């Protein structure tokens, strides 16, 4: 494990230029900086896996939400928007591409003709099943520098941190 990283250099610069900043505040800056740097470095690695399958991350998220819903793999656009934390317009944009590709289809709800149902097609299910297997392998490789105990500790700490900042 490296003794220092780029975040240490940034914090040292702030410590030198702003000695009035609290050590606890600078430690928090380092942690948030490392989380941001990690996310920025990992995002392209995740995106590359989806690109192999002809997907972007957001499109995978839609297919995955439908797949996780279980058979018959159907959700309303409103439920999809909520699950993905997206605006209805952003959800519609993703659905347009997925529908054009034949991975989802939109039909009138037979029980409520004012509502639409989004269904994962068989080719869409096959695609998301292949993509998620590659995605899980990729994430395992990304976390490879950590052993099982370290991963469990990190996961627990991040869960607690997220609970403290997510909207109730």
């Amino acid at each position: 494990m490296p003794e220092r990283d780029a975040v240490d250099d940034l914090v040292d610069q702030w410590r030198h230029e702003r000695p009035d900043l609290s050590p606890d505040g600078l430690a928090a800056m380092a942690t948030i900086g490392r989380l941001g740097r990690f996310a920025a470095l990992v995002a392209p690695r995740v995106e590359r896996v989806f690109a192999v399958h002809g997907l972007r991350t957001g499109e995978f998220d839609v297919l995955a939400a439908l797949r996780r819903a279980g058979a018959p793999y159907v959700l309303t656009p409103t439920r999809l928007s909520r699950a993905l934390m997206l605006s209805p317009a952003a959800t519609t944009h993703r659905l347009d591409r997925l529908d054009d590709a034949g991975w989802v289809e939109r039909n009138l709800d037979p029980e409520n003709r004012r509502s639409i149902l989004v269904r994962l097609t068989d080719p869409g299910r096959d695609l998301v099943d292949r993509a998620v297997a590659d995605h899980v392998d990729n994430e395992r490789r990304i976390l490879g520098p950590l052993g099982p105990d370290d991963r469990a500790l990190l996961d627990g700490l991040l869960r607690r941190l997220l609970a403290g900042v997510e909207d109730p």
Side-chain angles (χ1 to χ4, degrees), residues 12 49 80 135 161 168:
D12 285 350
V49 168
L80 268 173
H135 178 53
L161 186 62

Side-chain angles (χ1 to χ4, degrees), residues 41-155:
L41 291 169
V42 167
R45 294 179 189 189
V46 170
E47 199 64 49
R48 278 194 296 272
V49 168
F50 296 140
V52 167
H53 297 280
L55 295 168
R56 296 182 196 111
T57 299
E59 295 161 349
F60 170 81
D61 291 344
V62 172
L63 297 176
L66 289 164
R67 180 66 170 96
R68 288 190 316 265
Y73 314 111
V74 174
L75 292 172
T76 64
T78 300
R79 287 198 53 206
L80 268 173
S81 293
R82 285 186 192 137
L84 301 169
M85 294 179 283
L86 291 174
S87 70
T91 301
T92 297
H93 178 73
R94 290 180 186 179
L95 288 174
D96 288 344
R97 182 171 186 291
L98 294 169
D99 194 355
D100 289 346
W103 297 324
V104 301
E105 62 181 21
R106 293 177 274 195
N107 299 298
L108 287 175
D109 183 345
E111 295 179 17
N112 179 357
R113 308 256 328 143
R114 294 174 295 153
S115 182
I116 299 287
L117 295 176
V118 180
R119 185 182 73 80
L120 185 64
T121 63
D122 289 342
R125 192 183 77 215
D126 292 343
L127 173 67
V128 73
D129 283 349
R130 288 191 312 273
V132 75
D134 290 347
H135 178 53
V136 167
D137 287 344
N138 186 45
E139 289 183 324
R140 183 186 40 75
R141 283 190 302 274
I142 289 168
L143 294 176
L146 301 178
D149 291 343
D150 286 339
R151 283 195 313 268
L153 175 62
L154 178 62
D155 192 53

